[in-house]
Amino acid sequence: MPLHSLSPVSQTCVLGLWHLTEVLEELWPLLPAQAHYLARYPDGRDELRARQWLAGRVLAHHLLRELNDTPATLHNDPNGRPYFPELPAVGVSLSHSGEWVAGLLSTQAAVGIDIEQVRSKAQQLARRFLSEAEQANAGNETAKYCLYWSAKETLYKLHSRRGLVFKEQLLLNPFELREAGVLTGHLLLENSRSQHQIHYLRPNPDYVLTYALGD
């Protein structure tokens, strides 16, 4: 069972990483309340996405057991955000890319997490999600484009609001790329602005991971 790590972020928040090597038949027995998840299993997905979906739910239960022993089942709200209806105060976020699945759970705050494989695709699509200033800051660093994308995905998940324009409403301050650090992000809405700290790390040279906690 390749649970890679469970890392406390605070006394009320834990981050988990799962290295996905199992086939579907190995993942199902790891889930509690299998009938619940079988009814929500996303038919029609390719095998990798199905494995990522299952591993994400297995990881969510590992995270929950670190902080709370209440039996619960994971659902998704109309915006796609996962949640435990039995535990309305708990915030949970999941992400997957390639052979990695990431999760973040807090008993006291909304959370957002994203993991991305470092590929040239983010740089190719940069004009769609980066402002001109952000494109200039990213330069020609593929990993930096992926980190920009990941951080904006995390901020988007944190607020779970559809229709946000990434290049106009989710903005990041310039930064120097390191193995780990904190980015400053801004959410610009019609009648409000807010600033957020987005943590990042690189689990290995081929991936970037970002996460953020709400107030």
Side-chain angles (χ1 to χ4, degrees), residues 105-126:
L105 186 144
S106 169
T107 58
Q108 296 185 354
V111 294
I113 194 168
D114 186 74
I115 189 167
E116 298 289 340
Q117 192 170 7
V118 176
R119 297 178 295 176
S120 61
K121 183 178 179 179
Q123 187 170 355
Q124 295 166 2
L125 299 177

Side-chain angles (χ1 to χ4, degrees), residues 13-211:
C13 184
V14 61
L15 184 155
L17 280 172
W18 188 280
H19 187 200
L20 182 58
T21 62
E22 304 94 338
V23 297
L24 292 171
E25 292 76 13
E26 293 174 311
L27 288 166
W28 276 111
L30 304 179
L31 272 174
Q34 290 184 26
H36 166 82
Y37 293 107
L38 184 60
R40 290 159 176 79
Y41 182 68
D43 290 330
R45 292 193 177 187
D46 63 43
E47 183 178 349
L48 175 59
R49 289 187 175 273
R51 291 164 57 220
Q52 291 168 335
W53 187 90
L54 283 173
R57 275 125 195 92
V58 174
L59 179 58
H61 282 281
H62 275 279
L63 294 169
L64 183 61
R65 286 194 292 268
E66 290 293 300
L67 297 172
N68 192 304
D69 58 4
T70 301
T73 52
L74 198 67
H75 295 241
N76 290 87
D77 70 15
N79 289 333
R81 173 189 277 184
Y83 71 101
F84 292 105
E86 302 89 346
L87 299 165
V90 169
V92 59
S93 184
L94 298 171
S95 181
H96 52 74
S97 182
E99 62 186 17
W100 288 96
V101 178
L104 188 68
L105 186 144
S106 169
T107 58
Q108 296 185 354
V111 294
I113 194 168
D114 186 74
I115 189 167
E116 298 289 340
Q117 192 170 7
V118 176
R119 297 178 295 176
S120 61
K121 183 178 179 179
Q123 187 170 355
Q124 295 166 2
L125 299 177
R127 292 184 179 180
R128 297 186 184 183
F129 69 92
L130 293 185
S131 69
E132 291 184 3
E134 290 168 337
Q135 290 181 61
N137 179 249
N140 197 35
E141 297 182 76
T142 301
K144 202 165 186 179
Y145 282 96
C146 295
L147 185 52
Y148 263 114
W149 172 254
S150 182
K152 292 196 177 195
E153 277 286 323
T154 282
L155 196 52
Y156 177 79
K157 290 180 178 181
L158 180 65
H159 292 277
S160 188
R161 178 179 175 134
R162 291 189 183 275
L164 291 174
V165 181
F166 278 36
K167 66 187 297 180
E168 298 176 2
Q169 293 179 277
L170 301 173
L171 301 177
L172 296 171
N173 287 1
F175 63 92
E176 295 294 329
L177 182 62
R178 298 182 173 87
E179 289 302 306
V182 181
L183 309 177
T184 300
H186 305 270
L187 175 65
L188 311 181
L189 300 178
E190 293 82 0
N191 300 310
S192 66
R193 297 189 175 199
S194 55
Q195 180 172 299
H196 305 270
Q197 299 302 301
I198 304 168
H199 300 261
Y200 75 89
L201 56 92
R202 302 187 67 178
N204 65 47
D206 296 325
Y207 288 83
V208 296
L209 181 147
T210 60
Y211 67 91

